[in-house]
Amino acid sequence: MSLVTKPGTRYRSAVDQTEIIVVKPAKGPIDLRCGGHPVVAIGTEAPTGLTLDPAFSAGTPLGKRFADTDTGLELLCTKGGTGSLSIGEVILAQKDAKPLPSSD
């Protein structure tokens, strides 16, 4: 399932409590997943009978950003969960915080 992302769009996992918001959209349609299954827009029904894929169960911590340099996508986790975010089979990397300038 391919999604066209827009800034401010909110998605949730179909297999756990993870919720995310798009900070920077992808350059084109992507296969955004959480826990190994496609995410769904908040306010829509999730498919039933799905379970967390153990290969995508490292978790998504609240307040952390995730980015993909190839697509330009950047997401913010607004509700943490046990599933890992991915584009297809590629797990998204957690974005590092920018170091603050030295006050020496």
Side-chain angles (χ1 to χ4, degrees), residues 35-80:
H37 300 282
V39 297
V40 294
I42 289 184
T44 61
E45 284 293 317
T48 58
L50 300 176
T51 58
L52 183 67
D53 183 334
F56 298 93
S57 62
T60 304
L62 171 68
K64 298 298 181 183
R65 290 179 184 245
F66 295 83
D68 180 62
T69 54
D70 292 340
T71 63
L73 179 69
E74 186 175 324
L75 306 169
L76 173 66
C77 178
T78 57
K79 187 173 183 184

Short mmCIF file of all heavy atoms in Angstrom, two decimals, residues 35-80:
data_model
loop_
_atom_site.label_atom_id
_atom_site.label_comp_id
_atom_site.label_asym_id
_atom_site.label_seq_id
_atom_site.Cartn_x
_atom_site.Cartn_y
_atom_site.Cartn_z
N GLY A 35 5.52 -2.07 12.84
CA GLY A 35 5.33 -3.44 13.31
C GLY A 35 5.22 -4.44 12.18
O GLY A 35 4.73 -5.55 12.37
N GLY A 36 5.66 -4.06 10.97
CA GLY A 36 5.63 -4.95 9.82
C GLY A 36 4.37 -4.84 8.97
O GLY A 36 4.25 -5.54 7.96
N HIS A 37 3.43 -3.96 9.35
CA HIS A 37 2.18 -3.82 8.61
C HIS A 37 1.94 -2.36 8.26
O HIS A 37 2.37 -1.46 8.98
CB HIS A 37 1.01 -4.34 9.45
CG HIS A 37 1.15 -5.79 9.80
ND1 HIS A 37 0.89 -6.81 8.92
CD2 HIS A 37 1.59 -6.38 10.95
CE1 HIS A 37 1.12 -7.96 9.51
NE2 HIS A 37 1.56 -7.73 10.74
N PRO A 38 1.22 -2.09 7.15
CA PRO A 38 0.97 -0.70 6.75
C PRO A 38 0.26 0.10 7.86
O PRO A 38 -0.60 -0.42 8.56
CB PRO A 38 0.07 -0.84 5.53
CG PRO A 38 0.37 -2.19 4.98
CD PRO A 38 0.67 -3.05 6.18
N VAL A 39 0.67 1.36 8.00
CA VAL A 39 0.00 2.25 8.95
C VAL A 39 -1.34 2.67 8.37
O VAL A 39 -1.58 2.55 7.17
CB VAL A 39 0.86 3.50 9.27
CG1 VAL A 39 2.16 3.11 9.94
CG2 VAL A 39 1.12 4.34 8.03
N VAL A 40 -2.22 3.17 9.25
CA VAL A 40 -3.52 3.67 8.82
C VAL A 40 -3.67 5.10 9.32
O VAL A 40 -3.10 5.47 10.35
CB VAL A 40 -4.69 2.79 9.33
CG1 VAL A 40 -4.64 1.42 8.70
CG2 VAL A 40 -4.69 2.69 10.84
N ALA A 41 -4.42 5.90 8.59
CA ALA A 41 -4.67 7.27 9.01
C ALA A 41 -5.49 7.26 10.29
O ALA A 41 -6.37 6.42 10.47
CB ALA A 41 -5.41 8.04 7.91
N ILE A 42 -5.17 8.18 11.20
CA ILE A 42 -5.93 8.27 12.45
C ILE A 42 -7.37 8.64 12.08
O ILE A 42 -7.62 9.50 11.25
CB ILE A 42 -5.29 9.29 13.40
CG1 ILE A 42 -3.99 8.68 13.93
CG2 ILE A 42 -6.24 9.68 14.53
CD1 ILE A 42 -3.26 9.49 14.96
N GLY A 43 -8.30 7.93 12.68
CA GLY A 43 -9.72 8.14 12.39
C GLY A 43 -10.30 7.11 11.44
O GLY A 43 -11.49 7.12 11.19
N THR A 44 -9.43 6.24 10.88
CA THR A 44 -9.93 5.17 10.01
C THR A 44 -9.76 3.83 10.70
O THR A 44 -8.93 3.68 11.60
CB THR A 44 -9.18 5.14 8.66
OG1 THR A 44 -7.79 4.89 8.89
CG2 THR A 44 -9.34 6.44 7.91
N GLU A 45 -10.52 2.86 10.28
CA GLU A 45 -10.46 1.53 10.87
C GLU A 45 -9.20 0.78 10.41
O GLU A 45 -8.84 0.81 9.24
CB GLU A 45 -11.68 0.71 10.45
CG GLU A 45 -12.95 1.10 11.18
CD GLU A 45 -12.89 0.78 12.66
OE1 GLU A 45 -12.43 -0.31 13.04
OE2 GLU A 45 -13.31 1.65 13.45
N ALA A 46 -8.57 0.11 11.36
CA ALA A 46 -7.41 -0.72 11.04
C ALA A 46 -7.89 -2.14 10.71
O ALA A 46 -8.91 -2.58 11.24
CB ALA A 46 -6.46 -0.77 12.23
N PRO A 47 -7.17 -2.83 9.84
CA PRO A 47 -7.53 -4.22 9.56
C PRO A 47 -7.45 -5.05 10.84
O PRO A 47 -6.63 -4.78 11.71
CB PRO A 47 -6.47 -4.69 8.56
CG PRO A 47 -5.80 -3.46 8.07
CD PRO A 47 -6.00 -2.40 9.10
N THR A 48 -8.29 -6.04 10.96
CA THR A 48 -8.28 -6.90 12.15
C THR A 48 -7.46 -8.16 11.90
O THR A 48 -7.20 -8.52 10.75
CB THR A 48 -9.71 -7.29 12.56
OG1 THR A 48 -10.32 -7.95 11.45
CG2 THR A 48 -10.52 -6.07 12.94
N GLY A 49 -7.04 -8.79 12.98
CA GLY A 49 -6.34 -10.07 12.88
C GLY A 49 -4.85 -9.96 12.63
O GLY A 49 -4.18 -10.97 12.45
N LEU A 50 -4.29 -8.75 12.60
CA LEU A 50 -2.86 -8.59 12.38
C LEU A 50 -2.10 -8.70 13.70
O LEU A 50 -2.61 -8.32 14.75
CB LEU A 50 -2.56 -7.23 11.75
CG LEU A 50 -3.21 -6.95 10.40
CD1 LEU A 50 -2.89 -5.53 9.96
CD2 LEU A 50 -2.73 -7.95 9.36
N THR A 51 -0.88 -9.23 13.64
CA THR A 51 -0.03 -9.31 14.83
C THR A 51 1.32 -8.68 14.53
O THR A 51 1.75 -8.60 13.38
CB THR A 51 0.18 -10.77 15.28
OG1 THR A 51 0.77 -11.51 14.21
CG2 THR A 51 -1.13 -11.42 15.70
N LEU A 52 1.99 -8.25 15.59
CA LEU A 52 3.30 -7.62 15.48
C LEU A 52 4.31 -8.60 14.91
O LEU A 52 4.44 -9.72 15.40
CB LEU A 52 3.73 -7.14 16.87
CG LEU A 52 5.04 -6.39 16.97
CD1 LEU A 52 4.95 -5.04 16.26
CD2 LEU A 52 5.40 -6.17 18.42
N ASP A 53 5.02 -8.19 13.86
CA ASP A 53 6.08 -9.00 13.25
C ASP A 53 7.31 -8.89 14.15
O ASP A 53 7.80 -7.78 14.38
CB ASP A 53 6.38 -8.47 11.85
CG ASP A 53 7.41 -9.29 11.10
OD1 ASP A 53 8.26 -9.94 11.75
OD2 ASP A 53 7.39 -9.25 9.87
N PRO A 54 7.85 -10.01 14.67
CA PRO A 54 9.01 -9.95 15.56
C PRO A 54 10.22 -9.24 14.95
O PRO A 54 11.03 -8.65 15.68
CB PRO A 54 9.34 -11.42 15.84
CG PRO A 54 8.08 -12.16 15.54
CD PRO A 54 7.37 -11.37 14.48
N ALA A 55 10.36 -9.24 13.64
CA ALA A 55 11.48 -8.57 12.98
C ALA A 55 11.33 -7.04 13.04
O ALA A 55 12.30 -6.32 12.79
CB ALA A 55 11.59 -9.02 11.53
N PHE A 56 10.14 -6.56 13.37
CA PHE A 56 9.87 -5.12 13.45
C PHE A 56 9.30 -4.77 14.82
O PHE A 56 8.30 -4.07 14.93
CB PHE A 56 8.89 -4.71 12.33
CG PHE A 56 9.43 -4.94 10.96
CD1 PHE A 56 9.16 -6.12 10.30
CD2 PHE A 56 10.22 -3.99 10.35
CE1 PHE A 56 9.67 -6.35 9.02
CE2 PHE A 56 10.74 -4.20 9.08
CZ PHE A 56 10.47 -5.38 8.42
N SER A 57 9.95 -5.28 15.87
CA SER A 57 9.42 -5.09 17.22
C SER A 57 10.41 -4.40 18.17
O SER A 57 10.35 -4.60 19.37
CB SER A 57 9.00 -6.43 17.81
OG SER A 57 10.12 -7.29 17.93
N ALA A 58 11.29 -3.56 17.64
CA ALA A 58 12.27 -2.85 18.48
C ALA A 58 11.65 -1.66 19.20
O ALA A 58 12.23 -1.12 20.13
CB ALA A 58 13.47 -2.40 17.66
N GLY A 59 10.48 -1.23 18.77
CA GLY A 59 9.77 -0.15 19.43
C GLY A 59 9.98 1.21 18.79
O GLY A 59 10.93 1.44 18.06
N THR A 60 9.04 2.10 19.09
CA THR A 60 9.07 3.48 18.63
C THR A 60 8.86 4.37 19.84
O THR A 60 7.74 4.45 20.35
CB THR A 60 7.97 3.72 17.57
OG1 THR A 60 8.13 2.79 16.50
CG2 THR A 60 8.04 5.13 17.01
N PRO A 61 9.93 5.01 20.35
CA PRO A 61 9.80 5.82 21.56
C PRO A 61 9.08 7.15 21.33
O PRO A 61 9.28 7.81 20.31
CB PRO A 61 11.23 6.06 22.01
CG PRO A 61 12.12 5.40 21.03
CD PRO A 61 11.30 4.87 19.92
N LEU A 62 8.29 7.55 22.29
CA LEU A 62 7.55 8.80 22.29
C LEU A 62 8.51 9.99 22.17
O LEU A 62 9.54 10.03 22.81
CB LEU A 62 6.75 8.94 23.58
CG LEU A 62 6.08 10.28 23.85
CD1 LEU A 62 4.97 10.52 22.85
CD2 LEU A 62 5.54 10.33 25.26
N GLY A 63 8.15 10.95 21.30
CA GLY A 63 8.92 12.19 21.17
C GLY A 63 10.15 12.10 20.29
O GLY A 63 10.82 13.10 20.07
N LYS A 64 10.45 10.94 19.75
CA LYS A 64 11.62 10.78 18.89
C LYS A 64 11.25 10.98 17.44
O LYS A 64 10.14 10.69 17.01
CB LYS A 64 12.26 9.40 19.09
CG LYS A 64 12.77 9.16 20.49
CD LYS A 64 13.85 10.13 20.86
CE LYS A 64 14.36 9.87 22.26
NZ LYS A 64 15.35 10.83 22.69
N ARG A 65 12.22 11.48 16.68
CA ARG A 65 12.03 11.67 15.24
C ARG A 65 12.72 10.54 14.48
O ARG A 65 13.76 10.04 14.90
CB ARG A 65 12.62 13.02 14.80
CG ARG A 65 11.81 14.19 15.31
CD ARG A 65 12.42 15.50 14.87
NE ARG A 65 11.69 16.61 15.44
CZ ARG A 65 11.00 17.49 14.74
NH1 ARG A 65 10.99 17.43 13.42
NH2 ARG A 65 10.34 18.45 15.34
N PHE A 66 12.12 10.19 13.36
CA PHE A 66 12.65 9.15 12.50
C PHE A 66 12.72 9.71 11.09
O PHE A 66 11.81 10.43 10.66
CB PHE A 66 11.74 7.91 12.55
CG PHE A 66 11.73 7.27 13.90
CD1 PHE A 66 10.91 7.75 14.90
CD2 PHE A 66 12.58 6.22 14.19
CE1 PHE A 66 10.91 7.19 16.16
CE2 PHE A 66 12.59 5.65 15.45
CZ PHE A 66 11.76 6.14 16.45
N ALA A 67 13.81 9.40 10.38
CA ALA A 67 14.00 9.98 9.05
C ALA A 67 14.56 8.96 8.07
O ALA A 67 15.21 8.00 8.46
CB ALA A 67 14.95 11.18 9.15
N ASP A 68 14.29 9.23 6.79
CA ASP A 68 14.83 8.43 5.70
C ASP A 68 15.44 9.39 4.69
O ASP A 68 14.71 10.21 4.10
CB ASP A 68 13.73 7.59 5.05
CG ASP A 68 14.25 6.75 3.91
OD1 ASP A 68 15.11 5.89 4.15
OD2 ASP A 68 13.81 6.98 2.77
N THR A 69 16.75 9.32 4.51
CA THR A 69 17.43 10.26 3.62
C THR A 69 17.08 10.04 2.15
O THR A 69 17.05 10.99 1.38
CB THR A 69 18.96 10.18 3.80
OG1 THR A 69 19.38 8.83 3.62
CG2 THR A 69 19.38 10.66 5.17
N ASP A 70 16.78 8.81 1.76
CA ASP A 70 16.46 8.53 0.36
C ASP A 70 15.15 9.19 -0.08
O ASP A 70 15.06 9.73 -1.18
CB ASP A 70 16.37 7.03 0.11
CG ASP A 70 17.72 6.34 0.24
OD1 ASP A 70 18.76 7.03 0.15
OD2 ASP A 70 17.73 5.11 0.43
N THR A 71 14.13 9.14 0.78
CA THR A 71 12.82 9.70 0.41
C THR A 71 12.60 11.11 0.94
O THR A 71 11.69 11.79 0.50
CB THR A 71 11.68 8.80 0.95
OG1 THR A 71 11.75 8.80 2.37
CG2 THR A 71 11.78 7.39 0.40
N GLY A 72 13.41 11.52 1.92
CA GLY A 72 13.23 12.84 2.54
C GLY A 72 12.21 12.83 3.66
O GLY A 72 11.94 13.86 4.28
N LEU A 73 11.63 11.68 3.97
CA LEU A 73 10.59 11.57 4.99
C LEU A 73 11.15 11.81 6.39
O LEU A 73 12.23 11.33 6.73
CB LEU A 73 9.96 10.17 4.94
CG LEU A 73 8.87 9.89 5.96
CD1 LEU A 73 7.61 10.70 5.63
CD2 LEU A 73 8.55 8.41 6.00
N GLU A 74 10.40 12.57 7.19
CA GLU A 74 10.72 12.74 8.61
C GLU A 74 9.42 12.64 9.39
O GLU A 74 8.43 13.28 9.06
CB GLU A 74 11.40 14.07 8.88
CG GLU A 74 11.86 14.20 10.32
CD GLU A 74 12.65 15.47 10.58
OE1 GLU A 74 13.42 15.89 9.69
OE2 GLU A 74 12.51 16.02 11.68
N LEU A 75 9.44 11.79 10.43
CA LEU A 75 8.27 11.54 11.26
C LEU A 75 8.57 11.85 12.71
O LEU A 75 9.72 11.76 13.14
CB LEU A 75 7.86 10.06 11.16
CG LEU A 75 7.62 9.49 9.78
CD1 LEU A 75 7.50 7.98 9.84
CD2 LEU A 75 6.36 10.10 9.19
N LEU A 76 7.54 12.20 13.48
CA LEU A 76 7.65 12.40 14.92
C LEU A 76 6.68 11.45 15.59
O LEU A 76 5.50 11.40 15.22
CB LEU A 76 7.30 13.85 15.28
CG LEU A 76 7.21 14.17 16.78
CD1 LEU A 76 8.58 14.03 17.45
CD2 LEU A 76 6.64 15.56 16.99
N CYS A 77 7.18 10.70 16.58
CA CYS A 77 6.33 9.77 17.31
C CYS A 77 5.55 10.54 18.38
O CYS A 77 6.14 11.14 19.27
CB CYS A 77 7.17 8.67 17.94
SG CYS A 77 6.19 7.52 18.92
N THR A 78 4.22 10.52 18.29
CA THR A 78 3.37 11.23 19.24
C THR A 78 2.77 10.29 20.30
O THR A 78 2.21 10.75 21.28
CB THR A 78 2.23 11.98 18.53
OG1 THR A 78 1.48 11.03 17.75
CG2 THR A 78 2.80 13.06 17.62
N LYS A 79 2.90 8.99 20.08
CA LYS A 79 2.48 8.00 21.06
C LYS A 79 3.34 6.76 20.82
O LYS A 79 3.30 6.18 19.73
CB LYS A 79 0.99 7.67 20.90
CG LYS A 79 0.46 6.77 22.00
CD LYS A 79 -1.05 6.63 21.88
CE LYS A 79 -1.58 5.79 23.02
NZ LYS A 79 -3.03 5.55 22.87
N GLY A 80 4.15 6.40 21.81
CA GLY A 80 5.08 5.30 21.66
C GLY A 80 4.41 3.94 21.61
O GLY A 80 3.27 3.77 22.06
#
